[in-house]
Amino acid sequence: MIAAIKAPGANTRGLLAYLYGRGTHDEHFDPHIVAGFAMLGMPDPGRDEMATLTELARHLDEPVRLRNSEFGEPVTDHVWHCPVRAAPEDRYLSDAEWGEIAQRIVAAAGIAPVGDDVACRWIAVRHADDHIHILATTVREDGRRPKLHDSGIRVGDACREIEKDYGLRRLKKGDRTGTRRPTQAEMHKAQRLGWEQTSKEWLQDRIRAAIPHAKSAEELLEGIRVKARRGPSGDLLGYAVGRPGDLNKDDEQIFHPGGKIAPDLSLPKIKTRLESSHPEEHPTARRTQPSTPWHRATDALDSLHTDLADDARAQAHITALGELIEATAQTAPTDLRAELQAASQAFARAQRSQIRAEDRAAHTLRNAARDIAHTATGPDGSALAALVAALVWAAIVAGRWHEAKGHAHQADAARQALQHLQTVADHALTPELTDLAQRQPKEETRRTLASDVRAAIPDHAERILTDTGWPALATVLADAEARGHKPHQLLKEAAAQRELATARQPARVLITRIQHTGRNPIPNRRAAAARLRTTTAAPHPPLGPPSVQPTAVTTPPAEQQRRPRR
């Protein structure tokens, strides 16, 4: 059950005309009052043909008129409006049940607390099977104004109790970090203009898509139509963004403040997120990093589970994880982008909670997202498969953390994103699996490698060996062995990276991990020593003529390896 409190209004008669009217699409039928502050003597134009809307409005506005006559400054925002709607699959509720629900809503909001004889005047009008509209005038009988601060939270909590008591669809409790639902006016405008999204939804997607590319708020807002608010020093104090073509009745561009688009897109939060300082990496550190942004991102995800013990650090990493999913969606192959974009949009809800993130803790993951966003080339198949497999695991970890913290909406968002990521993982790995399976090693080699699996990962060995991806995994292990790796050791390291219990197809998961960690050959120490002697044999230019210059003679590495030891 959803109760959506609208912005205060000033025209009681006008709202009644809508409630008792036919609706914008003739969707209203049999409008009538199901509950009110005093049902006896209440004029109901839906049941009494002699009653009028003007009479009913005057009846509700009486305390407002008395207050305005006694005080010099009139009350102009006195109309409180709250539609209350059941879910489509909920059972039919009678007028009496809707009346009881309305009384619980106005009590929770502070409009008419239980036992308060001088509370505000209100009515609940039903003009459809699945919802009612509560209208109240926010001047009490004693002339005071009701205390409505945080009424939305109290009403939301009351709805969760109503769902339980009446056997209705149970919704998750809100935590004030979700985006506002589009209003009917916003949805109708988008429909009229042929837009698939409302302006706020469209702008939210554009801002989130720009975040992985930016290192500061100023840089982020460069590519968006922005109305900036600056101080005397020129510093950015606030911003609002507009969608091209979104005009008001005077043909002027409509701008929306970032905090109204989504709670985490306000300027202070964007600044904290993007401009959090961190120690600059030493120049030589990059020499030991993986060769591509895709490999670096996969390695960065390996540290995710180690930072979940501290709530602030965990929230920071989950926020940065959303940026990494978005950056991957922008640069992945075309056939995978739609599914990755869907994962990014779903995970946006998981990126924010009431826990304040320690943004500096996630700079490694955020830098990985920026590297991917700025890369000019896409990933090869194995690099993308490894990254998406790591993203699948990261989404599982994020969902578990949110669930443990009681973040119901965020945990659900992580699960939705996980479904999209799993679909991408399956598609990304399919070509690679086909190629690997076609060149699987001989039966004798496969039996040897199966023994390695049973010895290295005994708890999951049977699942791995019966997985349809086992022939491809055998090929990966044989290839790694040819490069000098030990299959037994590679299997142990791959299994230790992240747990395998939640893997739907453990052989596929191990393929991506082993391809990532075992992609480089094991260095040959004797060959390296020979190369070193070659480069140091003649440290200074020779003095004699070219015909008699000394020559450094080296033995090929293969011959050195065949040479018997003395």
Side-chain angles (χ1 to χ4, degrees):
M1 178 163 286
I2 296 175
I5 300 174
K6 305 297 183 181
N11 189 348
T12 305
R13 173 65 172 75
L15 180 54
L16 288 172
Y18 167 74
L19 299 182
Y20 281 89
R22 297 176 60 182
T24 56
H25 297 86
D26 293 331
E27 70 273 19
H28 297 174
F29 60 92
D30 189 25
H32 59 282
I33 295 175
V34 295
F37 73 100
M39 292 298 288
L40 293 177
M42 177 82 70
D44 184 0
R47 289 290 181 265
D48 183 358
E49 62 181 11
M50 302 302 293
T52 65
L53 298 179
T54 301
E55 180 186 8
L56 179 56
R58 188 181 299 116
H59 196 60
L60 293 168
D61 281 341
E62 184 63 20
V64 182
R65 186 186 63 79
L66 290 174
R67 177 187 170 99
N68 288 346
S69 64
E70 293 180 6
F71 295 92
E73 185 176 354
V75 175
T76 58
D77 57 347
H78 64 281
V79 180
W80 188 84
H81 177 208
C82 179
V84 185
R85 185 179 299 274
E89 64 270 25
D90 283 339
R91 65 178 179 83
Y92 177 85
L93 296 170
S94 66
D95 281 358
E97 289 174 316
W98 273 120
E100 294 167 357
I101 290 170
Q103 290 175 342
R104 293 174 67 165
I105 294 294
V106 294
I111 293 293
V114 177
D116 191 342
D117 296 331
V118 290
C120 299
R121 297 189 176 191
W122 64 276
I123 59 171
V125 177
R126 181 180 190 178
H127 57 208
D129 287 343
D130 63 348
H131 71 279
I132 60 173
H133 291 258
I134 303 175
L135 184 158
T137 50
T138 56
V139 174
R140 293 163 47 89
E141 299 283 0
D142 57 9
R144 295 184 294 126
R145 303 297 300 273
K147 296 180 180 179
L148 301 179
H149 181 66
D150 285 339
S151 60
I153 298 175
R154 297 193 299 272
V155 167
D157 292 343
C159 285
R160 305 293 81 79
E161 292 298 320
I162 291 169
E163 292 162 357
K164 181 171 60 176
D165 295 343
Y166 286 81
L168 306 177
R169 176 186 173 187
R170 304 284 293 276
L171 298 182
K172 300 174 179 65
K173 187 175 180 180
D175 62 355
R176 305 184 72 180
T177 63
T179 57
R180 290 182 177 272
R181 294 177 179 272
T183 65
Q184 286 189 345
E186 290 171 339
M187 291 188 291
H188 290 160
K189 184 175 185 178
Q191 185 179 11
R192 187 174 67 253
L193 296 175
W195 294 342
E196 295 183 0
Q197 297 175 294
T198 64
S199 289
K200 289 181 181 178
E201 292 171 330
W202 186 87
L203 289 167
Q204 181 182 174
D205 287 350
R206 296 307 180 277
I207 295 173
R208 294 196 189 283
I211 285 176
H213 297 263
K215 293 184 178 180
S216 67
E218 293 276 8
E219 187 177 336
L220 171 68
L221 301 177
E222 283 179 0
I224 307 173
R225 183 170 296 189
V226 176
K227 183 178 181 181
R229 180 167 58 87
R230 298 184 181 275
S233 62
D235 293 339
L236 187 63
L237 302 179
Y239 79 101
V241 289
R243 179 180 188 175
D246 187 13
L247 309 177
N248 61 17
K249 58 184 178 60
D250 298 322
D251 289 334
E252 298 171 337
Q253 176 69 53
I254 296 176
F255 289 93
H256 303 277
K260 297 293 184 181
I261 296 172
D264 59 332
L265 297 183
S266 65
L267 182 63
K269 291 184 178 179
I270 285 179
K271 279 187 171 182
T272 303
R273 183 167 163 183
L274 294 180
E275 300 171 9
S276 55
S277 60
H278 56 270
E280 185 62 31
E281 186 181 59
H282 192 275
T284 59
R286 289 190 176 271
R287 298 175 188 171
T288 61
Q289 290 183 344
S291 56
T292 71
W294 308 89
H295 292 119
R296 290 196 291 272
T298 304
D299 284 349
L301 285 170
D302 286 339
S303 64
L304 181 63
H305 71 285
T306 62
D307 288 288
L308 296 183
D310 180 82
D311 287 350
R313 294 176 66 87
Q315 183 60 62
H317 278 79
I318 291 173
T319 301
L321 173 60
E323 297 173 22
L324 179 56
I325 296 174
E326 174 61 35
T328 305
Q330 293 177 24
T331 50
T334 306
D335 59 327
L336 301 178
R337 288 186 185 179
E339 202 73 37
L340 281 166
Q341 286 289 357
S344 177
Q345 290 173 354
F347 199 78
R349 184 66 183 89
Q351 287 181 263
R352 54 184 183 271
S353 73
Q354 288 284 12
I355 296 175
R356 186 170 182 175
E358 185 185 335
D359 291 287
R360 285 177 291 185
H363 70 268
T364 301
L365 198 57
R366 183 161 285 119
N367 286 344
R370 287 173 182 164
D371 286 347
I372 287 179
H374 289 106
T375 187
T377 58
D380 59 41
S382 62
L384 178 62
L387 176 57
V388 175
L391 289 174
V392 167
W393 173 82
I396 292 173
V397 172
R400 287 176 180 172
W401 182 80
H402 278 308
E403 196 166 358
K405 296 298 175 183
H407 303 161
H409 292 280
Q410 291 86 341
D412 187 54
R415 283 190 290 269
Q416 293 178 30
L418 175 62
Q419 293 175 358
H420 294 291
L421 290 171
Q422 286 175 332
T423 300
V424 175
D426 290 341
H427 283 84
L429 195 56
T430 296
E432 187 83 4
L433 285 173
T434 303
D435 175 68
L436 291 170
Q438 287 176 348
R439 56 185 187 87
Q440 59 180 302
K442 295 179 180 180
E443 179 64 27
E444 183 180 354
T445 304
R446 292 204 304 273
R447 283 198 299 267
T448 303
L449 293 172
S451 299
D452 288 330
V453 171
R454 292 189 179 94
I457 320 174
D459 294 340
H460 301 282
E462 292 310 312
R463 289 180 62 219
I464 295 168
L465 296 175
T466 56
D467 190 344
T468 57
W470 161 241
L473 175 58
T475 306
V476 169
L477 291 170
D479 290 347
E481 188 173 27
R483 292 193 297 271
H485 295 278
K486 295 180 179 180
H488 178 272
Q489 185 64 29
L490 274 179
L491 286 164
K492 289 188 67 173
E493 291 175 358
Q497 284 179 16
R498 300 182 283 273
E499 51 89 10
L500 284 172
T502 57
R504 296 175 302 160
Q505 295 174 297
R508 291 191 176 195
V509 173
L510 289 173
I511 286 171
T512 59
R513 295 182 189 177
I514 291 172
Q515 284 181 328
H516 178 69
T517 57
R519 62 188 182 276
N520 296 322
I522 294 294
N524 187 306
R525 294 183 178 179
R526 294 184 177 180
R531 285 192 296 271
L532 181 62
R533 287 196 300 272
T534 301
T535 56
T536 58
H540 300 289
L543 300 178
S547 59
V548 295
Q549 287 179 4
T551 303
V553 180
T554 60
T555 305
E559 293 185 16
Q560 283 190 352
Q561 292 176 6
R562 290 195 298 268
R563 183 178 297 167
R565 294 182 179 178
R566 296 181 179 178

Coordinates of all heavy atoms in Angstrom, one line a residue, residues 446-462 464-465 470 473 477 487-488 491 510:
R446 N 43.3 -35.2 -19.4 CA 42.1 -34.8 -18.7 C 42.0 -35.6 -17.4 O 41.6 -35.0 -16.3 CB 40.9 -35.0 -19.5 CG 40.8 -34.0 -20.7 CD 39.3 -33.8 -21.1 NE 38.6 -35.0 -21.4 CZ 38.7 -35.6 -22.6 NH1 39.4 -35.1 -23.6 NH2 38.0 -36.7 -22.9
R447 N 42.4 -36.9 -17.4 CA 42.3 -37.6 -16.2 C 43.3 -37.1 -15.1 O 43.0 -37.0 -13.9 CB 42.6 -39.1 -16.5 CG 41.4 -39.8 -17.1 CD 41.6 -41.4 -16.9 NE 42.7 -41.8 -17.6 CZ 42.7 -42.3 -18.9 NH1 41.6 -42.3 -19.6 NH2 43.9 -42.7 -19.5
T448 N 44.5 -36.7 -15.6 CA 45.5 -36.2 -14.7 C 45.0 -34.9 -14.1 O 45.2 -34.6 -12.9 CB 46.8 -36.0 -15.5 OG1 47.3 -37.2 -16.0 CG2 47.9 -35.4 -14.5
L449 N 44.5 -34.0 -15.0 CA 44.0 -32.7 -14.5 C 42.8 -32.9 -13.5 O 42.6 -32.1 -12.6 CB 43.6 -31.9 -15.7 CG 44.7 -31.4 -16.6 CD1 44.2 -30.7 -17.8 CD2 45.7 -30.5 -15.9
A450 N 42.0 -33.9 -13.8 CA 40.8 -34.2 -12.9 C 41.4 -34.6 -11.5 O 40.8 -34.2 -10.4 CB 40.0 -35.3 -13.4
S451 N 42.5 -35.3 -11.4 CA 43.1 -35.6 -10.2 C 43.6 -34.4 -9.5 O 43.5 -34.2 -8.2 CB 44.3 -36.6 -10.4 OG 43.8 -37.8 -11.0
D452 N 44.1 -33.4 -10.2 CA 44.5 -32.2 -9.7 C 43.4 -31.4 -9.0 O 43.5 -30.8 -8.0 CB 45.2 -31.3 -10.7 CG 46.6 -31.8 -11.1 OD1 47.2 -32.4 -10.3 OD2 47.0 -31.6 -12.3
V453 N 42.2 -31.5 -9.7 CA 41.0 -30.8 -9.2 C 40.6 -31.4 -7.9 O 40.3 -30.7 -6.9 CB 39.9 -30.9 -10.2 CG1 38.5 -30.4 -9.6 CG2 40.2 -30.1 -11.5
R454 N 40.6 -32.7 -7.8 CA 40.1 -33.4 -6.6 C 41.1 -33.1 -5.4 O 40.7 -33.0 -4.3 CB 40.0 -34.9 -6.8 CG 38.9 -35.3 -7.8 CD 38.7 -36.8 -7.8 NE 37.6 -37.2 -8.7 CZ 37.7 -37.5 -10.0 NH1 39.0 -37.5 -10.5 NH2 36.7 -37.8 -10.7
A455 N 42.4 -33.0 -5.7 CA 43.3 -32.7 -4.7 C 43.3 -31.3 -4.2 O 43.5 -31.0 -3.0 CB 44.7 -33.1 -5.2
A456 N 43.1 -30.4 -5.2 CA 43.2 -28.9 -4.9 C 41.9 -28.4 -4.3 O 41.9 -27.6 -3.4 CB 43.6 -28.1 -6.1
I457 N 40.7 -28.9 -4.8 CA 39.4 -28.3 -4.4 C 38.5 -29.5 -4.1 O 37.5 -29.8 -4.8 CB 38.8 -27.5 -5.5 CG1 39.9 -26.6 -6.1 CG2 37.7 -26.6 -4.9 CD1 39.3 -25.8 -7.3
P458 N 38.8 -30.3 -3.0 CA 38.0 -31.5 -2.8 C 36.5 -31.2 -2.5 O 35.7 -32.0 -2.9 CB 38.7 -32.1 -1.6 CG 39.4 -31.0 -0.9 CD 39.8 -30.1 -2.0
D459 N 36.2 -30.1 -1.9 CA 34.8 -29.8 -1.5 C 33.9 -29.6 -2.7 O 32.7 -29.7 -2.7 CB 34.7 -28.6 -0.6 CG 35.4 -28.9 0.8 OD1 35.5 -30.1 1.1 OD2 35.7 -27.9 1.5
H460 N 34.5 -29.1 -3.8 CA 33.7 -28.7 -5.0 C 34.1 -29.6 -6.2 O 33.6 -29.3 -7.3 CB 33.9 -27.2 -5.3 CG 33.5 -26.3 -4.2 ND1 32.1 -26.0 -3.9 CD2 34.2 -25.7 -3.3 CE1 32.1 -25.2 -2.9 NE2 33.3 -25.0 -2.5
A461 N 34.9 -30.6 -6.0 CA 35.5 -31.3 -7.2 C 34.4 -31.9 -8.1 O 34.4 -31.8 -9.3 CB 36.4 -32.4 -6.7
E462 N 33.4 -32.6 -7.4 CA 32.4 -33.3 -8.3 C 31.5 -32.3 -9.0 O 31.2 -32.5 -10.2 CB 31.5 -34.2 -7.4 CG 32.3 -35.4 -6.8 CD 33.0 -36.1 -7.9 OE1 32.4 -36.4 -8.9 OE2 34.2 -36.4 -7.6
I464 N 32.5 -29.4 -10.1 CA 33.4 -28.9 -11.2 C 33.5 -29.9 -12.4 O 33.4 -29.6 -13.5 CB 34.8 -28.6 -10.7 CG1 34.7 -27.4 -9.7 CG2 35.8 -28.2 -11.8 CD1 35.9 -27.2 -8.8
L465 N 33.8 -31.2 -12.0 CA 34.0 -32.2 -13.0 C 32.7 -32.6 -13.8 O 32.8 -33.1 -14.9 CB 34.6 -33.4 -12.4 CG 36.0 -33.2 -11.8 CD1 36.5 -34.4 -11.1 CD2 37.0 -32.8 -12.8
W470 N 33.6 -28.2 -17.9 CA 34.9 -28.9 -17.5 C 35.8 -29.1 -18.7 O 37.0 -28.9 -18.5 CB 34.5 -30.2 -16.8 CG 35.7 -31.2 -16.8 CD1 35.7 -32.4 -17.4 CD2 37.0 -31.0 -16.2 NE1 36.9 -33.0 -17.2 CE2 37.7 -32.2 -16.5 CE3 37.5 -30.0 -15.5 CZ2 39.0 -32.3 -16.0 CZ3 38.9 -30.1 -15.1 CH2 39.6 -31.3 -15.3
L473 N 37.7 -26.0 -19.1 CA 38.6 -25.7 -17.9 C 39.8 -26.6 -18.1 O 41.0 -26.2 -17.8 CB 37.9 -26.0 -16.6 CG 38.7 -26.0 -15.4 CD1 39.4 -24.6 -15.2 CD2 37.9 -26.3 -14.1
L477 N 43.7 -25.2 -18.1 CA 44.8 -25.8 -17.2 C 45.9 -26.3 -18.0 O 47.1 -26.1 -17.7 CB 44.2 -26.9 -16.3 CG 43.2 -26.4 -15.3 CD1 42.5 -27.6 -14.6 CD2 43.9 -25.6 -14.2
P487 N 49.1 -26.8 -12.5 CA 47.7 -26.8 -12.4 C 47.1 -26.9 -11.0 O 46.2 -26.2 -10.7 CB 47.3 -28.0 -13.3 CG 48.4 -28.2 -14.2 CD 49.6 -27.8 -13.5
H488 N 47.7 -27.7 -10.2 CA 47.3 -27.9 -8.8 C 47.4 -26.6 -8.1 O 46.4 -26.2 -7.4 CB 48.1 -29.0 -8.1 CG 47.8 -29.2 -6.7 ND1 48.4 -28.5 -5.7 CD2 46.9 -30.1 -6.1 CE1 47.8 -28.9 -4.5 NE2 47.0 -29.8 -4.8
L491 N 44.7 -24.0 -9.4 CA 43.4 -24.3 -8.9 C 43.2 -23.9 -7.5 O 42.2 -23.3 -7.1 CB 43.1 -25.8 -9.0 CG 42.9 -26.3 -10.5 CD1 43.0 -27.8 -10.5 CD2 41.5 -25.9 -10.9
L510 N 36.0 -20.8 -12.5 CA 37.5 -21.1 -12.4 C 38.2 -20.7 -13.7 O 39.3 -20.3 -13.6 CB 37.7 -22.5 -12.0 CG 37.3 -22.9 -10.6 CD1 37.4 -24.5 -10.5 CD2 38.2 -22.2 -9.6

